[in-house]
Amino acid sequence: MQWYSNFSLKVLYSICSPVIDYGQSVINVAQELAKVLIDNRPLSTKTVSSQMNRYFLGTAASGAWQWKDAYEAVEVAQILYLRHLGIKILSLQPQVVVQQLEESTALCPTHTRRSEESVQLQQFSTPLPLAYLVAKAGFIQATDLVLEPSAGTGLLAQMAKLHSASLMLNELAPDRSKILRRLFPGTPLFSVNAEQINDYLVGKTQPSVVLMNPPFSASPKINSRNPDATPRHINSALQRLADGGRLVTITANWFSPNNPTWRETFVRWHSEARVLLSVGVSGKVYSKHGTTIDTRITVIDKVPADNHRQIPCIPETLDLPELLALIEQLPERSPWERSEKIKAAAKAIVVQLPKRTTVAQPETVSSLPDDIVVLEYEVVEWSANDGLKDTLYETYRPQRIRIKDALPHPSLLCESAALALVSPPAPTYKPHLPQNILTQGLLSEAQIESVIYAGQAHCEFLSGSYIVDDSWDNVTVAANSSENAVKFRRGWFLGDGTGAGKGRQCAGIILDNWCQERRKAIWVSKSSALIEDARRDWCALGGTERDIIDLSNIKLGDPIPFTQGILFCTYSTLRSQKNGKSRLKQIVEWAGKDFEGAIAYDECHSMGNAMAQEGKLGMVAASQQGIVGLRLQNALPQARVAAIMLTLTL
């Protein structure tokens, strides 16, 4: 009965709720938030939530708005802040501008929650200081027509607008288009797939500058990761660009002339255009947008290159001041009107990038955060509720612990009334986590509780000692004094339902071990596409995308060339073997026999039927995925195993 009651309330809300102008409501919220930024005050999530409740006539819990909408409002507030500064900001020293925009960005809340749409379409807007540098690389003039093919909320467009340039915008997402229509009234706005922007804009005026931050590996109506999305966006925009014009794009760091996969793509472009600069950007720039993925800026002039195969590229990732120094050395643009004389003059331009000392990339990946704290919490007495109530479910929050400054879970959690009558154990384990996990609410109190209880289980060992044979299949009881006898560490099972953020909890468990210098972990999941979810959840807690090592990119039988990192593989990859070589052996050799790091079995039901059993038609053989999952645990008895599975309560 409770389910039907909730369903009826949702239907009633959708019928009775007032019609809201989405774009105008976001603008209204942004205007209030911009006042805070202009006053140089921190913009708290409480303030954002309060204004969203006000202008959307309801709360996030009631479904009136999502946090994605709130983050859009924060970005629009940054645009309004830019408009407040006006053209005078362009008269300041570039170093001062970058610093001022970094300080303004630091006042904004971190994007910690994503909608399905934002994840599917990879909607990561351009951070304010990076947008300034992208526009600066474009050498924009008042006479320019600037196209932004993936306009988002308009941060890049506003930078072009500060230079008094004319705009052409395109944005596929309907909600963002509504915002753009309000922000840039009278500006041509299209809503097409930017991978074919040139085809859609046939007959339209050609832009002289293109500023773009396209999805790195996402295409509309394609569920799987599509790395070809980046070159398709750039290629179409480059075709639309006027001769002599300039294109500046942000891409993933892997889209580089030095990457053999994409080398020929850049060579083909060089037949009609010249790459002036390709340089990596440190992932720290995106930290406020909920990720620390390294990106890359590429600057292309649409003039023929003298040498098709000589493409300048800086492999290192740079911080903003270094990036600014490079951009300031770019040559000015050629006039962009069509003219054979101008085209001939443009060909004579030679780009001279400064000589740099190559900085060798360390073999290891991320270092430990420098603000690690031992998480303190209070253990409280537990008392059962007064018997079962007439409802099937009870609202959930941690029953035995209280964590100071921890935020409640962003969505409502519940448990069955029967489970609410069971006393959880009083934990003693205290995880090690970066301070901002609490201060920025990167893990809710319920998610931190999972990290605590996982750590509690991992501090204990199963009783008895055992001998594991070389096949990792047979485990026999042995005396404690027996040679080669091992003890098995206790594992932990996570069976939360939808909405609890199991991926974030899994990342939290790994982060706890990471902060205690156990900097190798193994993340096994059902599908290779879920590596993007793993990256998202790990980066949301302060890690970097390169911490996640995709085992499928390493040849079977080759040593894994990383001294630390989170090794991601699927269950099917885990069981694969050929010519006497196996992925399992490859992983165990990388981990080492004394491995004490975390092993996360995501979607662990994929290891079901690990033992042969009798069915209606006779014996049913054990599943290979189940067997290999057990072998991995047998081979690494000291590993901290966490099994994660979605559970549904009916």
Side-chain angles (χ1 to χ4, degrees):
M1 291 300 293
Q2 184 71 24
W3 182 85
Y4 287 105
S5 173
N6 288 343
F7 176 76
S8 301
L9 286 173
K10 290 178 181 176
V11 173
L12 184 63
Y13 178 85
S14 64
I15 294 174
C16 299
S17 59
V19 177
I20 291 177
D21 183 330
Y22 177 83
Q24 187 58 54
S25 297
V26 170
I27 299 293
N28 291 341
V29 174
Q31 288 172 340
E32 300 295 336
L33 303 183
K35 297 175 184 177
V36 180
L37 295 180
I38 292 170
D39 290 342
N40 200 34
R41 292 183 285 119
L43 193 56
S44 67
T45 54
K46 182 178 180 180
T47 299
V48 175
S49 179
S50 174
Q51 294 298 337
M52 291 295 291
N53 293 344
R54 174 185 175 187
Y55 286 102
F56 280 80
L57 307 180
T59 65
S62 69
W65 55 273
Q66 302 180 56
W67 272 100
K68 174 185 178 293
D69 306 319
Y71 297 142
E72 309 282 49
V74 171
E75 291 177 9
V76 175
Q78 292 178 307
I79 291 174
L80 299 181
Y81 168 76
L82 278 179
R83 291 181 178 178
H84 169 76
L85 296 177
I87 195 170
K88 64 182 181 182
I89 192 175
L90 301 179
S91 64
L92 301 175
Q93 289 293 323
Q95 296 87 346
V96 176
V97 177
V98 170
Q99 183 178 354
Q100 184 172 344
L101 295 181
E102 284 185 302
E103 290 172 354
S104 174
T105 302
L107 297 175
C108 298
T110 302
H111 299 197
T112 57
R113 286 162 272 198
R114 304 224 173 260
S115 68
E116 290 184 8
E117 180 189 53
S118 64
V119 172
Q120 183 178 359
L121 299 181
Q122 295 183 346
Q123 293 176 331
F124 290 92
S125 298
T126 311
L128 212 53
L130 187 59
Y132 168 75
L133 293 181
V134 168
K136 187 170 182 61
F139 278 79
I140 300 170
Q141 306 295 323
T143 55
D144 280 318
L145 174 61
V146 179
L147 168 66
E148 189 180 355
S150 303
T153 53
L155 285 162
L156 279 173
Q158 183 57 43
M159 284 296 178
K161 197 71 175 174
L162 285 179
H163 293 80
S164 302
S166 301
L167 298 177
M168 292 173 63
L169 304 180
N170 179 72
E171 175 53 47
L172 187 61
D175 283 348
R176 288 185 157 187
S177 292
K178 294 173 185 176
I179 296 172
L180 292 170
R181 290 190 191 281
R182 293 287 186 176
L183 268 179
F184 302 96
T187 298
L189 175 62
F190 308 94
S191 298
V192 300
N193 179 5
E195 292 177 57
Q196 292 91 39
I197 192 73
N198 182 52
D199 299 326
Y200 282 113
L201 300 189
V202 168
K204 303 292 183 182
T205 305
Q206 289 184 292
S208 53
V209 177
V210 174
L211 305 180
M212 58 193 301
N213 181 7
F216 296 166
S217 55
S219 295
K221 300 181 181 180
I222 297 179
N223 293 329
S224 60
R225 187 171 180 268
N226 179 26
D228 288 330
T230 290
R232 286 176 181 173
H233 277 88
I234 298 174
N235 187 61
S236 191
L238 197 57
Q239 292 179 51
R240 176 62 6 199
L241 183 65
D243 290 339
R246 178 167 292 183
L247 181 149
V248 187
T249 182
I250 300 170
T251 68
N253 193 35
W254 46 257
F255 189 70
S256 161
N258 280 9
N259 186 338
T261 303
W262 305 110
R263 172 73 182 175
E264 289 306 313
T265 299
F266 284 89
V267 171
R268 286 195 300 271
W269 286 341
H270 252 213
S271 63
E272 61 179 32
R274 176 186 288 126
V275 176
L276 303 179
L277 177 66
S278 174
V279 58
V281 183
S282 170
K284 293 186 294 184
V285 176
Y286 267 91
S287 60
K288 279 292 181 178
H289 287 252
T291 182
T292 51
I293 180 176
D294 290 339
T295 53
R296 178 164 288 270
I297 285 183
T298 304
V299 183
I300 305 175
D301 271 359
K302 195 170 180 181
V303 296
D306 298 325
N307 187 329
H308 290 184
R309 304 200 71 85
Q310 186 176 355
I311 306 172
C313 179
I314 297 175
E316 305 100 286
T317 57
L318 308 184
D319 292 330
L320 295 183
E322 290 183 291
L323 189 59
L324 172 61
L326 280 180
I327 288 173
E328 288 186 313
Q329 298 184 49
L330 286 171
E332 293 188 5
R333 289 166 37 216
S334 305
W336 61 278
E337 293 84 3
R338 282 185 176 272
S339 164
E340 293 304 316
K341 182 178 179 181
I342 291 170
K343 288 173 66 177
K347 292 178 67 174
I349 298 175
V350 178
V351 179
Q352 294 290 342
L353 292 176
K355 293 183 178 180
R356 297 179 50 83
T357 302
T358 302
V359 179
Q361 292 296 308
E363 184 186 63
T364 55
V365 279
S366 293
S367 60
L368 287 172
D370 56 7
D371 60 344
I372 299 170
V373 297
V374 178
L375 185 70
E376 299 291 340
Y377 55 87
E378 177 188 3
V379 177
V380 297
E381 292 297 324
W382 181 88
S383 59
N385 295 328
D386 298 330
L388 288 172
K389 300 180 181 178
D390 57 356
T391 59
L392 295 177
Y393 302 101
E394 296 282 346
T395 301
Y396 181 82
R397 70 163 299 185
Q399 297 182 43
R400 296 302 307 272
I401 60 176
R402 295 292 179 265
I403 308 169
K404 184 181 179 182
D405 299 327
L407 297 180
H409 198 71
S411 59
L412 181 65
L413 299 178
C414 63
E415 62 180 337
S416 69
L419 277 177
L421 291 174
V422 178
S423 171
T428 58
Y429 175 78
K430 294 180 179 179
H432 293 59
L433 295 170
Q435 180 68 46
N436 68 333
I437 295 294
L438 280 179
T439 58
Q440 297 181 11
L442 303 183
L443 289 174
S444 68
E445 62 174 356
Q447 291 170 332
I448 295 175
E449 180 192 38
S450 296
V451 176
I452 292 171
Y453 276 117
Q456 183 74 32
H458 293 155
C459 287
E460 303 171 2
F461 285 82
L462 301 179
S463 59
S465 297
Y466 304 86
I467 297 291
V468 181
D469 72 356
D470 292 339
S471 69
W472 303 321
D473 275 329
N474 301 309
V475 180
T476 55
V477 178
N480 292 337
S481 58
S482 297
E483 186 178 1
N484 298 325
V486 298
K487 285 184 171 291
F488 282 95
R489 190 181 299 275
R490 189 180 298 277
W492 186 72
F493 175 80
L494 173 63
D496 285 344
T498 302
K502 292 179 293 301
R504 187 71 67 92
Q505 291 168 290
C506 179
I509 293 167
I510 293 174
L511 180 62
D512 175 27
N513 285 278
W514 191 278
C515 291
Q516 297 181 62
E517 300 198 36
R518 293 186 283 270
R519 298 165 70 183
K520 283 185 178 180
I522 302 167
W523 191 321
V524 190
S525 197
K526 184 177 181 180
S527 164
S528 59
L530 292 174
I531 191 172
E532 296 300 332
D533 292 359
R535 285 172 174 154
R536 177 200 66 208
D537 292 321
W538 176 248
C539 290
L541 299 186
T544 67
E545 196 170 82
R546 61 186 176 186
D547 294 337
I548 310 289
I549 304 166
D550 189 349
L551 182 60
S552 65
N553 291 334
I554 301 172
K555 186 178 178 181
L556 175 63
D558 285 356
I560 298 173
F562 298 94
T563 58
Q564 65 180 49
I566 303 167
L567 191 65
F568 182 94
C569 70
T570 64
Y571 291 102
S572 57
T573 300
L574 186 62
R575 73 169 189 260
S576 61
Q577 53 185 341
K578 185 178 181 180
N579 298 330
K581 302 175 182 177
S582 73
R583 287 294 192 185
L584 178 61
K585 183 178 179 182
Q586 187 182 30
I587 293 171
V588 171
E589 288 178 350
W590 173 74
K593 63 178 182 178
D594 296 325
F595 176 73
E596 295 185 349
I599 298 179
Y601 288 112
D602 190 18
E603 307 277 1
C604 66
H605 57 275
S606 299
M607 294 194 300
N609 305 318
M611 298 180 63
Q613 54 188 321
E614 187 172 356
K616 293 181 179 179
L617 301 178
M619 293 299 294
V620 179
S623 74
Q624 289 302 308
Q625 288 187 173
I627 290 173
V628 78
L630 289 178
R631 284 175 181 163
L632 180 59
Q633 295 176 76
N634 292 340
L636 304 173
Q638 297 185 64
R640 290 165 162 81
V641 177
I644 299 113
M645 184 177 74
L646 171 68
T647 57
L648 299 176
T649 304
L650 301 178

